[in-house]
Amino acid sequence: MTTEAGEPWLDYYLIRPEDGAPSAPADGIVVEEFALAGDHTAIGLDSAGWTAADGWWSSAAFSRGMRTDARLRARVVAARRRDAEVVYRRLGGGELPGEATLRGRFHDHQLLAGSAPLRLGPAQAPDGFRDRRVYRVLFAGDLREDGPPRLRSAWRMTLADPPARVAGTAHRRVAGDVFSWDLRRIGPGVAWCLDLTACLASGSDDAVGPLLRELVTVLRHAGLIPVTIERFA
């Protein structure tokens, strides 16, 4: 999903009070964006947060904590921009700035380790395709109870019953390109990953970025927090 200016939407989260109940009103917001290499792998993460008491702040440590500290992660809930606008206005911030202005709040860039793609599976593309790629998106946390139905609805995902290490699979064709993905559990309540195989027939990889963005967004709203995007082939 992109803005009218052609730039991707930012990721929004609401921050619950530290000692509040899960249903307590949010007392802040977090805005994030992954920096991507030309092949759509993640090479960095930018973020900024806002609370009425502290105003705007940028903290790579807070973003890492969202992914490594279970107590902090439990306080953070994925949101749409319009939800963040409501919270920002309710807490006295006025109108939430546009996304170009929000990017200007990013002052503490977090580098993500990058490397040449690992080779998993056949190196050659299947007949009829010019390229085969495998991406892995790593997520922290666990799916909410409504996560599996959400995935079934969004992707027509075939879910494992009973749940197994591979929790579900789905596929899609975009023009001549064929995509398939598996959702895998890495550890109970610890992490998940989404493995996307892209078989590209066209001369570009223009369909890869928007699909990765969609997959990450759906899983964010199902309760997971993206950690990085790697490429295995």
Side-chain angles (χ1 to χ4, degrees):
M1 184 180 296
T2 59
T3 65
E4 291 181 357
E7 292 193 52
W9 292 111
L10 300 175
D11 292 339
Y12 295 87
Y13 298 88
L14 306 182
I15 309 173
R16 294 178 174 137
E18 187 170 3
D19 299 322
S23 59
D27 63 2
I29 64 173
V30 173
V31 186
E32 290 190 335
E33 182 175 48
F34 280 99
L36 302 177
D39 64 351
H40 311 289
T41 55
I43 56 176
L45 178 61
D46 291 296
S47 67
W50 181 90
T51 59
D54 300 320
W56 283 101
W57 40 269
S58 181
S59 172
F62 188 91
S63 279
R64 286 193 296 271
M66 287 170 53
R67 292 156 172 85
T68 60
D69 184 336
R71 291 183 61 184
L72 177 56
R73 186 163 59 246
R75 296 176 52 205
V76 175
V77 182
R80 295 172 176 81
R81 178 180 167 91
R82 60 178 176 267
D83 300 317
E85 290 173 338
V86 170
V87 170
Y88 190 73
R89 189 180 302 115
R90 175 177 58 80
L91 294 174
E95 294 299 317
L96 185 65
E99 302 212 321
T101 301
L102 291 176
R103 287 183 173 91
R105 307 286 187 184
F106 297 156
H107 301 304
D108 192 5
H109 181 71
Q110 178 180 341
L111 289 173
L112 299 176
S115 61
L118 300 173
R119 285 294 175 185
L120 297 181
Q124 298 298 321
D127 290 343
F129 298 92
R130 67 168 183 85
D131 192 12
R132 175 186 179 275
R133 300 182 185 180
V134 178
Y135 292 89
R136 169 164 289 180
V137 187
L138 181 65
F139 295 87
D142 207 352
L143 290 174
R144 296 195 306 263
E145 288 187 7
D146 66 345
R150 183 186 292 268
L151 303 183
R152 187 184 294 113
S153 174
W155 300 331
R156 298 181 180 176
M157 174 170 268
T158 301
L159 300 173
D161 186 21
R165 185 167 178 268
V166 177
T169 61
H171 63 274
R172 181 180 301 175
R173 179 180 290 272
V174 179
D177 301 334
V178 174
F179 300 92
S180 61
W181 56 96
D182 298 328
L183 180 64
R184 301 175 185 270
R185 183 191 297 271
I186 297 177
V190 177
W192 292 72
C193 69
L194 183 108
D195 290 340
L196 169 69
T197 299
C199 293
L200 306 178
S202 60
S204 75
D205 63 356
D206 290 348
V208 174
L211 180 57
L212 279 168
R213 172 67 178 170
E214 176 192 332
L215 301 182
V216 170
T217 298
V218 170
L219 286 170
R220 283 179 57 243
H221 288 279
L224 304 181
I225 298 182
V227 176
T228 192
I229 304 171
E230 302 172 311
R231 184 176 164 193
F232 288 165

